[in-house]
Amino acid sequence: AQKVTQAQTEISVVEKEDVTLDCVYETRDTTYYLFWYKQPPSGELVFLIRRNSFDEQNEISGRYSWNFQKSTSSFNFTITASQVVDSAVYFCALSGTVDTDKLIFGTGTRLQVFP
Amino acid sequence: KAGVTQTPRYLIKTRGQQVTLSCSPISGHRSVSWYQQTPGQGLQFLFEYFSETQRNKGNFPGRFSGRQFSNSRSEMNVSTLELGDSALYLCASMASGRLHEQFFGPGTRLTVL
């Protein structure tokens, strides 16, 4: 069975602090995809990143960076120098090779960034 | 390029009624998926349509159904509404050949009284 665990329910930080959101996944597929989405108060899920299981290179996009480690089945997301606008719920998700269009979501981590 | 649109954005119904939600995907996208988001169960996959055919289905009762039209627009229907159906219903569209890259709409918030 596929599963995504986001153990951190809520994180509060002060602006300019760095924050890391954890994501641990379970799958028996050898090929799979991992995602991060941001959900601001408006409700729309905003796509942040997609990673396939064969690409373990870390990725950096501006203040965002992602650390993918197959050995620990983790795909963690770090926001550097957080800003108030980063306040949202962040979801990690997984899709496999069979049901490729079905995303399995974690329970989300609510990030609050205070000025 | 316009994003995924969903109508209506908010809906209030009473138990026993039925409801139809609409989703227009990004132009050129042929796949539409539906998800239900509730505080208790989180985000759960309902079903996915591609070229007017249901390609995948989640673990929801038969009261939840959907369809897709030739222009890729999709509707989902919930019959005999229950209080537990109150949720944010999100639609996502995906281009052919761009597996796993789903773009979500703003959602329809359904409240069942």
Side-chain angles (χ1 to χ4, degrees):
Chain A
Q2 297 182 318
K3 185 179 178 182
V4 176
T5 301
Q6 293 179 258
Q8 303 153 307
T9 305
E10 188 162 340
I11 300 175
S12 295
V13 298
V14 176
E15 237 183 346
K16 297 184 184 176
E17 279 187 41
D18 298 346
V19 58
T20 296
L21 310 182
D22 298 333
C23 173
V24 174
Y25 63 92
E26 294 174 32
T27 181
R28 292 180 182 171
D29 290 343
T30 53
T31 301
Y32 50 89
Y33 291 80
L34 295 163
F35 306 79
W36 276 94
Y37 283 87
K38 173 183 180 180
Q39 188 176 43
S42 60
E44 183 172 346
L45 282 170
V46 178
F47 170 83
L48 295 177
I49 190 172
R50 177 190 64 181
R51 215 61 181 150
N52 74 53
S53 51
F54 295 108
D55 185 0
E56 287 193 71
Q57 270 194 327
N58 291 332
E59 181 155 340
I60 298 174
S61 176
R63 296 184 298 107
Y64 294 170
S65 62
W66 291 269
N67 183 282
F68 176 29
Q69 291 194 334
K70 283 179 79 170
S71 60
T72 56
S73 298
S74 65
F75 186 43
N76 296 337
F77 172 33
T78 297
I79 302 175
T80 303
S82 59
Q83 300 175 1
V84 173
V85 293
D86 295 327
S87 297
V89 181
Y90 291 86
F91 290 93
C92 181
L94 165 72
S95 71
T97 45
V98 177
D99 296 332
T100 56
D101 305 326
K102 176 181 175 181
L103 290 170
I104 306 298
F105 284 91
T107 50
T109 297
R110 180 178 299 278
L111 174 64
Q112 293 197 67
V113 182
F114 294 99
Chain B
K1 207 173 192 181
V4 179
T5 58
Q6 292 187 244
T7 57
R9 292 293 311 279
Y10 302 92
L11 206 48
I12 299 176
K13 292 285 187 180
T14 57
R15 278 182 300 174
Q17 286 187 310
Q18 76 164 24
V19 68
T20 298
L21 312 182
S22 180
C23 170
S24 291
I26 292 171
S27 178
H29 286 196
R30 294 166 63 191
S31 166
V32 173
S33 296
W34 290 89
Y35 291 81
Q36 181 197 63
Q37 184 177 22
T38 60
Q41 300 299 317
L43 276 155
Q44 293 186 289
F45 173 80
L46 278 157
F47 29 64
E48 187 241 349
Y49 287 86
F50 180 81
S51 292
E52 303 179 64
T53 301
Q54 188 180 85
R55 202 158 62 167
N56 208 340
K57 190 178 191 310
N59 296 323
F60 279 81
R63 299 185 298 107
F64 292 82
S65 63
R67 59 177 175 168
Q68 187 180 34
F69 302 95
S70 58
N71 62 358
S72 295
R73 189 177 71 86
S74 176
E75 289 181 346
M76 69 162 280
N77 184 276
V78 188
S79 62
T80 320
L81 283 166
E82 300 177 359
L83 295 179
D85 297 332
S86 294
L88 180 66
Y89 290 88
L90 291 161
C91 164
S93 81
M94 187 172 66
S96 304
R98 298 288 292 176
L99 288 179
H100 312 279
E101 204 167 310
Q102 296 189 31
F103 295 90
F104 284 81
T108 294
R109 186 165 295 282
L110 171 65
T111 301
V112 182
L113 302 176

